[in-house]
């Protein structure tokens, strides 16, 4: 009888002790998320969606946000810090403020990649993991501590179990006692048989849990429409990314903030990995734009299923040989066809316009003679009344026959020049007398101005000797 009472008392004592321990435990406030990715990849928009904020507040260089975390079982709240590093290489040094030796073991890394430009996916994944690795090397963590963190990731990968439907409501929140790396965890894990890792699994163990998030998965439809992407190419991209995640032990998400795909699932998974909240969603590999591969689920055998849909592509081909940037040809602003006008028709129209611009009796100024400045009282003769010069240098009198604009200017000049010379020296020997026209006296002053300008260039004119120009 006494033994039964003692056992009952011990049972109540253990229950009260467990309740007391759970009531005093609080959510840790030192947890944080480090988000890496190129500019315009959707980092800030993604975090704003996880915060349930409608207006993303984008900062510069190194942004800081936080996620409100609530534990319903313990009625406790906490804030999980979120650091977002800009994509510019000049800002890589700012990692020393977001990832330090003190918070390294409490940080989860998230690498954001843009699906709108699939030809850069593998390049950016390699770039950002290399940036993270170089920074971790500068932290100079103690070798034994780094080894413990790496071993923790290995055990997490090995201990993964596919959740079943309804586990979310049944399984309580995991405590530190069930953590294999925590105190008292080693004894409880001795009975478990852990399978060895594959040859390509966690070959690049950074000691920090990683999640690869492919944003803008809604762009897949645009890739199929605009760039003729087929399921074969999309499967090729997926198998390359999943192999990469397998090397780093990372989880993989395809999300779309625009269409709200996998955003809530990502939020639950982050809280599960950081705070050990219950999580019951299995892997999702059917929908090509809503993929989810948790860390510990994948292996090469599961990835090889995709090979069946790639009959024309070798899965071992280099990524850039299959997924390359398309050549975009910019269309013309105006696609209307323009028919060029016949050259002779165009010239005939211009001649008609020039003829209409001449005023009878006063003479019209030709636009090609803009440098000509007539003196006071001078009058510009009509182009149609100008006589051209024949090969011998004599004036060919063909009044009333219009000529081209350039020929008219030259004919006007030499006609005025010869008229002035004849009037100025009527008795000069060897000089034939030119008949005087009624408008010659009026043109003389105009010809003198034109001659002064032409003398500066000293261009020889066929049929007129240099002494004639000098004499005038």
């Amino acid at each position: 009888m006494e033994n039964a009472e003692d056992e009952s008392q011990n049972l109540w004592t253990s229950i009260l002790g467990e309740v007391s321990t759970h009531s005093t435990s609080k959510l840790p406030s030192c947890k944080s998320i480090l988000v890496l990715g190129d500019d315009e990849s959707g980092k800030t928009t993604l975090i704003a969606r996880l915060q349930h904020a409608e207006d993303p507040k984008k900062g510069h260089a190194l942004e800081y946000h936080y996620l409100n975390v609530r534990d319903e079982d313990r009625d406790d709240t906490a804030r999980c810090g979120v650091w977002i590093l800009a994509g510019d290489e000049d800002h890589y040094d700012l990692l020393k403020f977001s990832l330090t030796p003190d918070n390294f073991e409490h940080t989860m890394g998230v690498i954001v990649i843009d699906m709108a430009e699939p030809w850069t996916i593998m390049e950016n994944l390699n770039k950002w993991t290399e940036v993270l690795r170089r920074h971790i090397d500068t932290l100079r963590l103690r070798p034994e501590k780094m080894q413990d963190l790496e071993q923790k990731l290995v055990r997490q990968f090995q201990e993964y179990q596919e959740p079943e439907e309804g586990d979310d409501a049944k399984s309580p929140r995991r405590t530190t006692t069930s953590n294999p790396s925590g105190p008292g965890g080693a004894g409880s894990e001795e009975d478990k048989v852990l399978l060895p890792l594959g040859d390509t699994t966690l070959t690049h163990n950074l000691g920090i849990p990683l999640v690869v998030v492919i944003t803008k998965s809604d762009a897949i439809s645009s890739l199929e429409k605009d760039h003729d992407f087929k399921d074969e190419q999309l499967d090729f991209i997926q198998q390359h990314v999943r192999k990469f995640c397998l090397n780093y032990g990372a989880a993989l998400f395809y999300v779309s903030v625009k269409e709200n795909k996998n955003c809530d699932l990502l939020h639950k998974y982050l809280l599960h990995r950081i705070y050990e909240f219950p999580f019951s969603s299995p892997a999702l590999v059917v929908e090509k734009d809503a993929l989810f591969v948790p860390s510990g689920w994948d292996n090469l055998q599961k990835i090889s299923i995709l090979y069946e849909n790639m009959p024309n592509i070798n899965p071992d081909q280099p990524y850039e040989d299959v997924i390359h940037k398309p050549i975009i040809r910019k269309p013309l602003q105006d696609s209307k066809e323009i028919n060029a006008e016949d050259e002779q028709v165009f010239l005939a129209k211009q001649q008609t316009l020039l003829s209409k611009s001449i005023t009878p009796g006063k003479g019209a100024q030709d636009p090609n003679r803009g440098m000509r400045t007539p003196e006071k009282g001078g009058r510009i003769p009509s182009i149609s009344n100008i006589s051209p010069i024949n090969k011998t240098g004599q004036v060919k009198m063909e009044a009333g026959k219009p000529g081209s604009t350039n020929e008219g200017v030259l004919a006007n000049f030499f006609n005025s020049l010869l008229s002035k010379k004849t009037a100025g020296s009527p008795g000069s020997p060897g000089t034939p007398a030119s008949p005087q026209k009624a408008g010659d006296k009026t043109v003389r002053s105009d010809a003198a101005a034109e001659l002064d300008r032409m003398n500066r260039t000293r261009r020889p004119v066929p049929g007129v000797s240099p002494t004639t120009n000098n004499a005038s």
Side-chain angles (χ1 to χ4, degrees), residues 365-382:
Q365 292 185 356
D366 187 79
N368 294 328
R369 298 179 63 186
M371 297 182 62
R372 175 180 176 182
T373 306
E375 298 179 1
K376 294 182 179 180
R379 182 173 63 86
I380 302 174
S382 174

Side-chain angles (χ1 to χ4, degrees), residues 381-418:
S382 174
I383 296 178
S384 59
N385 294 330
I386 296 174
S387 300
I389 301 176
N390 55 21
K391 296 182 180 180
T392 59
Q394 300 296 327
V395 179
K396 185 177 180 180
M397 304 300 294
E398 295 182 5
K401 182 178 181 181
S404 64
T405 304
N406 294 334
E407 294 178 354
V409 172
L410 293 176
N412 180 30
F413 168 71
F414 288 109
N415 188 17
S416 303
L417 180 63
L418 293 176

Side-chain angles (χ1 to χ4, degrees), residues 98-354:
S98 57
L99 188 61
T100 64
D102 296 332
N103 71 349
F104 182 79
E105 60 181 321
H106 304 292
T107 302
M108 168 168 279
V110 176
I111 301 178
V112 178
I113 305 297
D114 187 359
M115 188 63 181
E117 298 180 351
W119 43 88
T120 63
I121 287 180
M122 296 307 302
E123 178 184 356
N124 290 334
L125 283 174
N126 290 314
K127 178 183 72 173
W128 286 111
T129 50
E130 179 63 20
V131 169
L132 185 59
R133 186 196 63 79
R134 289 201 304 262
H135 176 70
I136 293 175
D137 291 341
T138 63
L139 298 179
R140 299 188 181 279
L141 299 173
R142 292 183 293 107
E144 54 271 16
K145 181 178 181 180
M146 192 65 184
Q147 186 177 1
D148 290 343
L149 294 174
E150 292 176 356
Q151 188 61 28
K152 182 180 178 180
L153 291 180
V154 172
R155 294 184 70 88
Q156 181 273 329
F157 201 96
Q158 291 176 321
E159 294 172 356
Y160 175 82
Q161 293 181 356
E162 185 78 12
E164 297 179 0
E165 294 295 335
D167 284 352
D168 194 5
K170 296 178 181 180
S171 61
R173 175 180 178 269
R174 293 178 60 190
T175 61
T176 55
T177 58
S178 63
N179 189 348
S181 62
S188 60
E189 299 295 333
E190 289 180 354
D191 297 337
K192 289 187 176 181
V193 178
L194 301 179
L195 298 177
L197 298 178
D199 295 337
T200 61
T201 304
L202 275 173
T203 55
H204 300 73
N205 195 335
L206 300 180
I208 181 175
L210 292 177
V211 176
V212 173
V213 180
I214 308 296
T215 58
K216 305 179 185 178
S217 63
D218 53 279
I220 291 179
S221 58
S222 299
L223 293 173
E224 294 174 335
K225 180 180 179 181
D226 299 335
H227 301 296
D228 198 24
F229 269 60
K230 306 297 183 183
D231 289 342
E232 191 175 20
Q233 294 168 295
L234 297 175
D235 289 339
F236 180 82
I237 295 174
Q238 182 187 144
Q239 62 98 17
H240 259 278
V241 176
R242 287 172 62 178
K243 287 179 180 178
F244 176 89
C245 293
L246 202 60
N247 296 152
Y248 287 87
L252 174 62
F253 279 85
Y254 277 27
V255 303
S256 172
V257 177
K258 180 180 179 181
E259 298 181 358
N260 194 20
K261 289 185 177 181
N262 275 358
C263 294
D264 293 336
L265 185 63
L266 173 62
H267 183 259
K268 292 180 180 180
Y269 185 79
L270 292 176
L271 297 183
H272 164 67
R273 293 294 303 275
I274 297 174
Y275 296 98
E276 298 182 339
F277 281 5
F279 185 78
S280 62
S281 178
L284 305 174
V285 293
V286 177
E287 297 184 18
K288 55 188 175 183
D289 58 347
L291 199 71
F292 166 51
V293 180
S295 175
W297 178 86
D298 214 358
N299 54 47
L300 289 179
Q301 184 178 1
K302 295 178 181 178
I303 295 175
S304 63
I305 298 177
L306 296 173
Y307 300 165
E308 300 175 0
N309 299 326
M310 296 187 296
N312 301 319
I313 300 178
N314 184 356
D316 297 328
Q317 280 185 266
Y319 186 84
E320 58 277 4
D321 291 350
V322 179
I323 310 299
H324 46 78
K325 186 176 182 180
I327 300 176
I328 301 177
R329 296 179 176 85
K330 295 183 179 180
L332 297 176
Q333 294 182 355
D334 189 1
S335 58
K336 295 181 180 179
E337 183 179 358
I338 300 177
N339 295 324
E341 190 176 18
D342 184 73
E343 181 181 1
Q344 297 300 323
V345 175
F346 172 77
L347 294 176
K349 290 182 179 180
Q350 300 304 315
Q351 184 179 13
T352 304
L353 293 176
L354 290 174

Side-chain angles (χ1 to χ4, degrees), residues 35 41-49 51 56-59 63 65 84:
V35 183
S41 61
K43 303 188 297 290
T44 304
T45 305
L46 176 64
I47 298 303
R49 180 64 183 83
Q51 293 175 317
K57 297 180 180 179
K58 189 174 182 179
E63 305 176 33
H65 306 270
I84 303 179

